[in-house]
Amino acid sequence: MSPQDSPPSTDAGEVRTKSEAWRVPSGRLATMRRAELAVGTAVLLALGAGLGGAIIGPTGAGATGAGVLVLAGILDRFLQRRVASWGYIERSEDLLVRRGVLVQRLSVVPYGRMQFVDVTAGLVERSFGLATARLHTAAAASDARIPGLEAAEATRLRDRLVALGEAKAAGL
């Protein structure tokens, strides 16, 4: 069982049943994060080579470049694990959203408590065909977001959550 398939546990026992499966962000989210890291690494290499070469000489530029590449490798591994940690399940009464590498979090957002669902896509996300769904409730602590959704899936999820939210809120 991969980390994406493993269910989070609570003191009350298993959160999901066997029939439910975690939905995960698009694989393009990992590609987008790698591209962002590559751009940042290129900028740091250029700055490091210039500053290291000016201050210490050619040896300083090489050492600075090697340090930046090692740091980029470590950050790449962390970002890939962070992307893999995201997941969500649509259940009958609520939505579960999990995330986190060092600190794992599980948010349970009841449909009846949702005030609105926001779908956003910045310039970089749009270029990869991705969007982020944000779920807002009255309590700021229970807000959740799901990054890396394909644009069509984000729209589908928003429409479904709004419909479920209206139906559950009407029953209150």
Side-chain angles (χ1 to χ4, degrees):
M1 187 181 282
S2 72
Q4 293 175 351
D5 297 331
S6 63
S9 297
T10 64
D11 294 337
E14 289 293 316
V15 171
R16 71 178 183 108
T17 63
K18 299 275 187 213
S19 63
E20 295 174 321
W22 286 100
R23 291 177 173 227
V24 295
S26 170
R28 286 184 274 178
L29 179 60
T31 304
M32 182 183 83
R33 296 289 186 229
R34 272 204 166 120
E36 291 171 338
L37 181 61
V39 169
T41 302
V43 168
L44 285 176
L45 282 172
L47 289 173
L51 290 176
I55 295 171
I56 303 173
T59 307
T64 303
V68 167
L69 290 177
V70 167
L71 180 61
I74 292 168
L75 284 175
D76 179 57
R77 179 72 177 139
F78 179 77
L79 288 175
Q80 299 310 310
R81 293 193 63 199
R82 185 170 181 216
V83 166
S85 74
W86 283 94
Y88 68 99
I89 294 178
E90 299 170 59
R91 300 194 313 178
S92 62
E93 298 294 320
D94 51 28
L95 178 78
L96 302 179
V97 181
R98 71 165 188 211
R99 65 196 180 283
V101 176
L102 298 175
V103 177
Q104 296 178 349
R105 297 175 191 252
L106 176 67
S107 298
V108 180
V109 184
Y111 296 131
R113 302 281 181 184
M114 284 187 211
Q115 291 185 326
F116 68 96
V117 180
D118 190 19
V119 174
T120 60
L123 179 64
V124 177
E125 282 181 310
R126 282 195 314 267
S127 68
F128 282 88
L130 300 175
T132 297
R134 295 183 192 276
L135 315 163
H136 299 276
T137 64
S142 62
D143 288 358
R145 72 183 179 98
I146 306 170
L149 298 173
E150 294 186 18
E153 172 63 9
T155 301
R156 182 207 65 83
L157 182 63
R158 180 198 61 211
D159 294 343
R160 177 163 159 55
L161 294 176
V162 167
L164 287 168
E166 288 173 354
K168 299 294 181 183
L172 292 177

